[in-house]
Amino acid sequence: MTTPRVHIATDHAGMELSAHLVSHLAAKGYEVVDHGPKEYDALDDYPSFCINAGVAVVADQEAGVHALGIVLGGSGNGEQIAANKVKGVRAALAWNLSTAKLAREHNDANVVAVGGRQHSVEEATELIEAFLQEPFSNDERHVRRIGKIAVYETTGEIVE
């Protein structure tokens, strides 16, 4: 599997972690695209940053580019919610190694959310790396379940 392009976005609470991840991941060979913000503002409105990162992940994937996203905040909750509003995004909040890996392995999540105030920089980096490195299992039951979510997302039909 090729190294994915990584789209990253944050709010003010995740800026230190974001800056660390941009340089850390680039040093590991990832192409990192930073969707902002560019400067600290305690009153920033993170949804646009996270939505832009999600849009970029989906656009890359639709173009055949292996891409994943990272959205960061104080808790990661609002950022995950914002990213999940983008059609085609499956954003998962990771708070330990198991949730980071299972988000990819079982749910083929294409965006991970992490709370910068919930983890040390080292812990958060470990979660992000686990997410980025874990492949989707392609297990039939997971493919089927993701397909049902996609049907609802595109048509509004709930498939039993």
Side-chain angles (χ1 to χ4, degrees), residues 1 4 24 43 72 96 105 113-114 146 156-157:
M1 179 185 276
H24 175 79
L43 300 177
L72 307 167
N96 61 27
E105 182 185 354
V114 173
I146 293 165
E157 176 189 355

Side-chain angles (χ1 to χ4, degrees), residues 2-154:
T2 62
T3 302
R5 177 180 293 158
V6 177
H7 294 276
I8 190 167
T10 188
D11 75 349
H12 62 277
M15 286 196 71
E16 178 183 332
L17 176 57
S18 181
H20 163 75
L21 289 169
V22 167
S23 62
H24 175 79
L25 294 174
K28 288 192 164 264
Y30 291 90
E31 177 187 353
V32 182
V33 181
D34 189 350
H35 293 272
K38 300 300 181 207
E39 56 188 45
Y40 181 85
D41 178 358
L43 300 177
D44 68 4
D45 289 330
Y46 62 84
S48 61
F49 307 129
C50 297
I51 291 168
N52 284 331
V55 167
V57 167
V58 172
D60 273 355
Q61 290 180 335
E62 288 175 350
V65 176
H66 181 37
L68 294 170
I70 302 166
V71 293
L72 307 167
S75 70
N77 284 313
E79 296 74 23
Q80 175 200 25
I81 292 167
N84 271 322
K85 297 303 178 184
V86 176
K87 182 179 173 186
V89 165
R90 287 178 307 283
L93 180 66
W95 65 89
N96 61 27
L97 282 175
S98 179
T99 58
K101 290 178 180 182
L102 287 171
R104 292 282 306 132
E105 182 185 354
H106 288 189
N107 306 112
D108 199 17
N110 51 9
V111 175
V112 64
V114 173
R117 292 181 176 156
Q118 311 305 312
H119 308 279
S120 69
V121 170
E122 295 78 19
E123 290 169 340
T125 302
E126 186 178 22
L127 296 178
I128 300 290
E129 287 182 344
F131 175 85
L132 294 175
Q133 294 168 8
E134 187 70 31
F136 176 51
S137 71
N138 279 304
D139 184 285
E140 185 277 329
R141 66 190 169 126
H142 300 308
V143 171
R144 182 182 67 245
R145 293 166 183 164
I146 293 165
K148 288 181 177 189
I149 294 168
V151 167
Y152 178 76
E153 182 178 48
T154 57

